[in-house]
Amino acid sequence: MGPVGESGDQPTAAWGAPVPRATVAMVGLGVMGRGLALNLSDKGHVVAVYDRQPGAVEAFLAGPAAGREVIGCGGAADLAAALQRPRRVMLMVPAGGPVDAAIAGLVPHLEPGDVVIDGGNSHFADTARRARELAERGVLFVGAGVSGGEEGARNGPSIMPGGDAEAWPLVKELLQGIAARVDGVPCCDWVGDEGAGHYVKMVHNGIEYGDMQLIAEAYHYMRAVVGLSVREASEVFAEWDVGRLDSYLVRITAEVLARLDDDGLPLVDKVLDAAEQKGTGRWTVADALERGTPLTLVAEAVFARALSSLKDERVAASAVLKGPGAPGATFDRQGMLRDLEEALYASKVVSYAQGFMLLKQASAELGWRIPLPTVPLLWRGGCVIRSRFLGDIAAAYQADPDLPNLMTAPFFAGELAGCQAGWRRTLSRAIAAGVPMPATSAALAFYDGYRSARLPANLLQAQRDHFGAHTFERVDAPRGQRFHADWSRRPR
């Protein structure tokens, strides 16, 4: 099938070949691909589309794309023929093998200088490999993290592009044109070489895991410790959403808790407490382990989902493993909620601090030059973790691009100091009541560890030297000088 659009047959050259008039192509017409194709059409682009699923193209042309300048294609050859040069092809297909298969089908029909954009949730290492492989053919490759789900794709997502830098001038206007905008600034900018775009998206997803877990822990605390009803908890989150916790996730939490089932009871109570995951959070934690970066809060968020999935075991264990008695009557609800707000806010600061530690470490190790002052601006709109305080994060890195840790920026150091008492009181009450808050606890433990001039790691290193002769450094000798001791020798 050749290129066919809603406007009828395409114009042809004298020799009968289609005249290329599409400015961009979309391969993959799933939820995200459809939304982005329509978004591109809204911005004045003629879009060529293809999907390997039979009937998908026809259904799109007859449905959402009816009446638009959208060209349906039956394969890679048709797609390439429909595109103006340099060709710009965006892939929105599942990560892994499907991306490689789509690229393999396209490459024979592309020319040096053409651009392939992978907008799916690919692993950054695969993106780096693909960028190198396509560069050998002269084809420019962009790995663009796209966040915002169906709504974002259709109306303006956060886009994190990286890859072959020569491609950026060719796709900048295209991608920034369909991205979300905050204060007139597009939530899309170049983030670095090779796999940097998908790496930034991966860290975004890890932070998303952390944010969701922290909010869930706050909700559990409201119900089990403070004694709020679901409706009252919804009202608290709605109040928080107009303060410093203003964010998309806090906003939808209030909406979720307000939703009633057909019987008039909270729908959230009918949802099975076994969280699923697609794996991007695990990618973030695994990479942090490889780089030796203490991404403790996201790790706890991932493990909390894993623990929740053990539903049958937990039900059985609840009858065997005893905890503290039920907490007594609460007389200072407002004070406890103020403390909880401080604990949630402070923990979020720690989570983002850890995420930016990982971005900084990876950028240095891989030579990607990820611009830390730019990244939070990309997340202010369109994406799941969009929130008010991302502007404060951007300001901190703009003031000091070499900031060693976000927590040490003057603004955030002051915020953490102001939250510290409520943070500690909240966790003390949770522990006393037997209410698990693993991510919130991990945040405070990291804060206390990072601010400690001396940690018990000296004992760890002495133990390692004792059983394995791994040697150690001394506080009274230059760094790098190694020592070994006979630890079993008794003093005379």
Side-chain angles (χ1 to χ4, degrees), residues 150 233 306 312 315 327-328 350 414 452 454:
E150 181 178 6
D312 293 341
V315 171
V350 171
S452 297
R454 188 168 177 83

Short mmCIF file of all heavy atoms in Angstrom, two decimals, residues 150 233 306 312 315 327-328 350 414 452 454:
data_model
loop_
_atom_site.label_atom_id
_atom_site.label_comp_id
_atom_site.label_asym_id
_atom_site.label_seq_id
_atom_site.Cartn_x
_atom_site.Cartn_y
_atom_site.Cartn_z
N GLU A 150 -0.73 9.40 28.27
CA GLU A 150 -1.63 9.71 27.16
C GLU A 150 -1.95 11.19 27.08
O GLU A 150 -1.93 11.80 26.01
CB GLU A 150 -2.91 8.89 27.30
CG GLU A 150 -3.91 9.10 26.19
CD GLU A 150 -5.14 8.23 26.35
OE1 GLU A 150 -5.27 7.55 27.39
OE2 GLU A 150 -6.00 8.24 25.43
N ALA A 233 -8.57 12.47 54.49
CA ALA A 233 -7.23 12.40 53.90
C ALA A 233 -7.21 13.10 52.54
O ALA A 233 -6.27 13.81 52.20
CB ALA A 233 -6.79 10.95 53.76
N ALA A 306 7.71 -4.57 45.75
CA ALA A 306 7.95 -6.01 45.77
C ALA A 306 7.31 -6.65 47.00
O ALA A 306 6.69 -7.71 46.92
CB ALA A 306 9.44 -6.29 45.72
N ASP A 312 -0.53 -12.73 49.73
CA ASP A 312 -0.95 -13.91 50.48
C ASP A 312 -0.05 -14.17 51.67
O ASP A 312 -0.52 -14.53 52.76
CB ASP A 312 -0.99 -15.13 49.56
CG ASP A 312 -2.07 -15.03 48.48
OD1 ASP A 312 -2.99 -14.21 48.67
OD2 ASP A 312 -1.97 -15.73 47.47
N VAL A 315 -0.85 -11.63 54.44
CA VAL A 315 -2.09 -11.95 55.15
C VAL A 315 -1.86 -13.06 56.17
O VAL A 315 -2.31 -12.98 57.33
CB VAL A 315 -3.20 -12.35 54.15
CG1 VAL A 315 -4.42 -12.89 54.89
CG2 VAL A 315 -3.60 -11.15 53.28
N PRO A 327 -2.64 2.53 68.48
CA PRO A 327 -2.31 3.81 69.09
C PRO A 327 -3.50 4.39 69.84
O PRO A 327 -4.66 4.13 69.48
CB PRO A 327 -1.91 4.69 67.91
CG PRO A 327 -2.55 4.06 66.71
CD PRO A 327 -2.57 2.58 67.00
N GLY A 328 -3.22 5.13 70.86
CA GLY A 328 -4.30 5.74 71.64
C GLY A 328 -4.97 6.87 70.90
O GLY A 328 -4.62 7.20 69.76
N VAL A 350 15.22 15.02 49.68
CA VAL A 350 16.28 14.01 49.71
C VAL A 350 16.21 13.13 48.46
O VAL A 350 17.23 12.81 47.85
CB VAL A 350 16.16 13.14 50.97
CG1 VAL A 350 17.11 11.95 50.90
CG2 VAL A 350 16.48 13.97 52.21
N GLY A 414 18.17 25.25 54.43
CA GLY A 414 17.26 25.92 55.35
C GLY A 414 15.92 25.22 55.46
O GLY A 414 15.36 25.08 56.56
N SER A 452 26.92 13.71 58.62
CA SER A 452 27.84 13.23 59.66
C SER A 452 29.29 13.35 59.19
O SER A 452 29.67 12.75 58.18
CB SER A 452 27.55 11.77 60.02
OG SER A 452 26.25 11.64 60.57
N ARG A 454 31.72 12.06 60.68
CA ARG A 454 32.36 10.77 60.94
C ARG A 454 31.28 9.69 61.05
O ARG A 454 30.29 9.86 61.75
CB ARG A 454 33.20 10.82 62.21
CG ARG A 454 34.06 9.57 62.44
CD ARG A 454 35.08 9.81 63.56
NE ARG A 454 35.87 8.63 63.86
CZ ARG A 454 36.96 8.24 63.20
NH1 ARG A 454 37.38 8.97 62.18
NH2 ARG A 454 37.63 7.16 63.54
#
